[in-house]
Short mmCIF file of all heavy atoms in Angstrom, two decimals:
data_model
loop_
_atom_site.label_atom_id
_atom_site.label_comp_id
_atom_site.label_asym_id
_atom_site.label_seq_id
_atom_site.Cartn_x
_atom_site.Cartn_y
_atom_site.Cartn_z
N LYS A 1 79.95 -17.53 137.55
CA LYS A 1 80.44 -18.29 136.41
C LYS A 1 80.88 -17.35 135.31
O LYS A 1 80.23 -16.37 135.04
CB LYS A 1 79.30 -19.15 135.88
CG LYS A 1 79.61 -20.60 135.93
CD LYS A 1 78.43 -21.33 135.40
CE LYS A 1 78.78 -22.73 135.07
NZ LYS A 1 77.65 -23.42 134.53
N ILE A 2 81.97 -17.65 134.68
CA ILE A 2 82.44 -16.82 133.58
C ILE A 2 82.13 -17.52 132.27
O ILE A 2 82.45 -18.66 132.09
CB ILE A 2 83.95 -16.56 133.70
CG1 ILE A 2 84.24 -15.76 134.98
CG2 ILE A 2 84.46 -15.80 132.50
CD1 ILE A 2 85.68 -15.47 135.18
N ALA A 3 81.48 -16.79 131.39
CA ALA A 3 81.11 -17.37 130.09
C ALA A 3 81.79 -16.58 128.99
O ALA A 3 81.99 -15.38 129.09
CB ALA A 3 79.60 -17.35 129.91
N SER A 4 82.11 -17.26 127.91
CA SER A 4 82.75 -16.55 126.81
C SER A 4 81.71 -15.91 125.94
O SER A 4 80.57 -16.26 125.95
CB SER A 4 83.58 -17.52 125.98
OG SER A 4 82.75 -18.49 125.42
N ALA A 5 82.13 -14.86 125.14
CA ALA A 5 81.24 -14.26 124.19
C ALA A 5 81.87 -13.25 123.28
O ALA A 5 82.96 -13.45 122.83
CB ALA A 5 80.04 -13.71 124.90
N PRO A 6 81.20 -12.06 122.99
CA PRO A 6 81.52 -11.22 121.88
C PRO A 6 82.98 -10.92 121.65
O PRO A 6 83.69 -10.60 122.54
CB PRO A 6 80.78 -9.94 122.17
CG PRO A 6 79.69 -10.37 123.04
CD PRO A 6 80.21 -11.54 123.80
N ILE A 7 83.34 -10.92 120.38
CA ILE A 7 84.70 -10.59 120.02
C ILE A 7 84.66 -9.45 119.00
O ILE A 7 84.05 -9.58 117.96
CB ILE A 7 85.42 -11.80 119.44
CG1 ILE A 7 85.45 -12.88 120.49
CG2 ILE A 7 86.80 -11.43 118.98
CD1 ILE A 7 86.06 -14.15 120.00
N LEU A 8 85.30 -8.34 119.29
CA LEU A 8 85.34 -7.21 118.36
C LEU A 8 86.47 -7.40 117.36
O LEU A 8 87.59 -7.69 117.75
CB LEU A 8 85.59 -5.91 119.13
CG LEU A 8 84.39 -5.25 119.77
CD1 LEU A 8 84.85 -4.05 120.55
CD2 LEU A 8 83.38 -4.83 118.73
N ALA A 9 86.19 -7.16 116.09
CA ALA A 9 87.21 -7.27 115.06
C ALA A 9 87.88 -5.92 114.85
O ALA A 9 87.98 -5.41 113.75
CB ALA A 9 86.60 -7.75 113.75
N ILE A 10 88.32 -5.30 115.99
CA ILE A 10 89.02 -4.02 115.93
C ILE A 10 90.10 -4.03 116.98
O ILE A 10 90.25 -4.98 117.73
CB ILE A 10 88.03 -2.85 116.19
CG1 ILE A 10 87.24 -3.13 117.48
CG2 ILE A 10 87.08 -2.67 115.06
CD1 ILE A 10 86.28 -2.02 117.82
N ALA A 11 90.89 -2.93 117.05
CA ALA A 11 92.05 -2.93 117.92
C ALA A 11 91.68 -3.03 119.39
O ALA A 11 92.34 -3.71 120.16
CB ALA A 11 92.87 -1.66 117.70
N MET A 12 90.61 -2.34 119.84
CA MET A 12 90.24 -2.43 121.24
C MET A 12 89.51 -3.73 121.49
O MET A 12 89.00 -4.35 120.58
CB MET A 12 89.35 -1.24 121.64
CG MET A 12 87.96 -1.28 121.03
SD MET A 12 86.83 -0.12 121.78
CE MET A 12 86.51 -0.90 123.34
N SER A 13 89.48 -4.16 122.74
CA SER A 13 88.72 -5.34 123.12
C SER A 13 88.31 -5.20 124.55
O SER A 13 88.67 -4.26 125.23
CB SER A 13 89.53 -6.62 122.91
OG SER A 13 90.76 -6.53 123.54
N PHE A 14 87.49 -6.16 125.05
CA PHE A 14 86.88 -6.02 126.35
C PHE A 14 86.48 -7.37 126.87
O PHE A 14 86.63 -8.37 126.21
CB PHE A 14 85.65 -5.10 126.26
CG PHE A 14 84.81 -5.43 125.09
CD1 PHE A 14 83.84 -6.39 125.19
CD2 PHE A 14 85.03 -4.82 123.87
CE1 PHE A 14 83.08 -6.72 124.09
CE2 PHE A 14 84.27 -5.17 122.78
CZ PHE A 14 83.30 -6.11 122.88
N ALA A 15 85.89 -7.41 128.09
CA ALA A 15 85.48 -8.69 128.67
C ALA A 15 84.09 -8.56 129.24
O ALA A 15 83.77 -7.59 129.89
CB ALA A 15 86.44 -9.10 129.78
N VAL A 16 83.24 -9.53 128.98
CA VAL A 16 81.92 -9.58 129.57
C VAL A 16 81.76 -10.94 130.21
O VAL A 16 82.06 -11.94 129.60
CB VAL A 16 80.83 -9.39 128.51
CG1 VAL A 16 79.47 -9.65 129.11
CG2 VAL A 16 80.87 -8.00 127.94
N LEU A 17 81.28 -10.96 131.44
CA LEU A 17 81.12 -12.21 132.16
C LEU A 17 79.66 -12.54 132.32
O LEU A 17 78.80 -11.70 132.18
CB LEU A 17 81.77 -12.10 133.55
CG LEU A 17 83.28 -11.85 133.57
CD1 LEU A 17 83.56 -10.36 133.49
CD2 LEU A 17 83.89 -12.41 134.82
N ALA A 18 79.40 -13.79 132.67
CA ALA A 18 78.05 -14.26 132.96
C ALA A 18 77.12 -14.06 131.77
O ALA A 18 76.13 -13.37 131.85
CB ALA A 18 77.48 -13.56 134.18
N GLY A 19 77.43 -14.68 130.68
CA GLY A 19 76.52 -14.68 129.55
C GLY A 19 76.87 -13.70 128.47
O GLY A 19 76.08 -13.42 127.60
N GLY A 20 78.05 -13.11 128.48
CA GLY A 20 78.41 -12.15 127.46
C GLY A 20 79.68 -12.56 126.77
O GLY A 20 79.87 -13.69 126.43
N LEU A 21 80.59 -11.61 126.60
CA LEU A 21 81.77 -11.91 125.82
C LEU A 21 83.03 -11.88 126.66
O LEU A 21 83.08 -11.27 127.70
CB LEU A 21 81.92 -10.92 124.69
CG LEU A 21 81.95 -9.47 125.12
CD1 LEU A 21 83.30 -8.89 124.78
CD2 LEU A 21 80.87 -8.71 124.42
N THR A 22 84.05 -12.49 126.13
CA THR A 22 85.34 -12.45 126.80
C THR A 22 86.42 -12.13 125.79
O THR A 22 86.58 -12.84 124.83
CB THR A 22 85.66 -13.80 127.45
OG1 THR A 22 84.65 -14.11 128.38
CG2 THR A 22 86.99 -13.77 128.15
N VAL A 23 87.13 -11.04 126.02
CA VAL A 23 88.20 -10.65 125.13
C VAL A 23 89.25 -9.92 125.96
O VAL A 23 88.91 -9.21 126.88
CB VAL A 23 87.69 -9.69 124.03
CG1 VAL A 23 88.79 -9.39 123.04
CG2 VAL A 23 86.50 -10.28 123.33
N SER A 24 90.53 -10.10 125.65
CA SER A 24 91.57 -9.34 126.34
C SER A 24 91.52 -7.91 125.85
O SER A 24 91.21 -7.65 124.70
CB SER A 24 92.94 -9.94 126.06
OG SER A 24 93.22 -9.88 124.68
#
């Protein structure tokens, strides 16, 4: 399952699945 989460307020971003964050 993919769950949404942390969003960084900076230029880089990332993705965390299963209980974390989702960001392009």
Side-chain angles (χ1 to χ4, degrees):
K1 241 180 164 181
I2 297 179
S4 63
I7 299 176
L8 277 176
I10 51 179
M12 70 167 286
S13 53
F14 45 87
V16 172
L17 298 87
L21 56 116
T22 301
V23 185
S24 62

